[in-house]
Amino acid sequence: ESHAFGWDVERRAQVWKRPLALTAAALSHDGRYAAVATRGSRAIEILDQETGDVRATLNTPNEEVQRCLCWSPAGHRLLYGLDDGHLALAEVDVTALAPGSVTDLTGPSVIFQTGRLSAVRAVSFARDGSLVVAGTADGSVYAWQLPARRGG
C-alpha cells in the first residue's frame, strides 16, 4: 500500500501519514498545502501540510489519470496534465479555505489540447503566471499564454 507523508524538515520528523496511491503531487508556494492526485480517483485533494487533513476537493470531469500538478505562483490556480494529452487549469484559491472545513471546488475553467494523444508528464507556470508549459511522453513541449484570472 502506498502512502503520503508530511515532514517537519527542521525537526527531521514525520508529522502525518495517509494511505494514498499517488499519481501526482505539488506543494503550494507558501508550503501550507499539497495538491495530490490518486490512482482510481477523478478528484484532486488539497491537503493541509501541518495535519494531512483534506481541506478541499477539486472534482475533475476527466476520466484520465492526472500525471502532473503545478500551483500558479500566486496560489490561485492549479494546472494538471492528463494521460490523454490534455491540460486543465482550475481556479483554486487556497486563501479562501476555511480552517477545519472541506471545500468542494468546481472543475477546470480552461482545458488545453497538446495536439497529440501523448500523455502529459510535466507542467509548469512562468514566474509571472501568464504562461504555462507542458512536456509530453513523446518528448514534445508546448506553451500557452493564459487568459487573465477572473477577479484580478
Side-chain angles (χ1 to χ4, degrees), residues 82-86 113-120 136-138 142:
L82 303 168
D83 272 347
D84 68 355
H86 284 89
Q113 171 68 42
T114 61
R116 300 177 186 215
L117 295 179
S118 184
V120 177
T136 60
D138 67 2
Y142 299 88

Side-chain angles (χ1 to χ4, degrees), residues 33-59:
Y33 302 100
V36 296
T38 57
R39 193 172 26 247
S41 175
R42 291 173 31 180
I44 295 171
E45 294 180 327
I46 310 300
L47 305 180
D48 184 306
Q49 273 300 97
E50 288 186 13
T51 63
D53 294 336
V54 175
R55 293 292 300 282
T57 301
L58 172 62
N59 294 303

Side-chain angles (χ1 to χ4, degrees), residues 127-147:
R127 187 176 304 191
D128 68 359
S130 67
L131 184 74
V132 296
V133 295
T136 60
D138 67 2
S140 299
V141 176
Y142 299 88
W144 293 270
Q145 189 73 35
L146 290 179

Side-chain angles (χ1 to χ4, degrees), residues 14 31 53 66 70 79 117 130:
Q14 179 181 317
D53 294 336
Q66 297 93 5
C70 185
L79 181 67
L117 295 179
S130 67

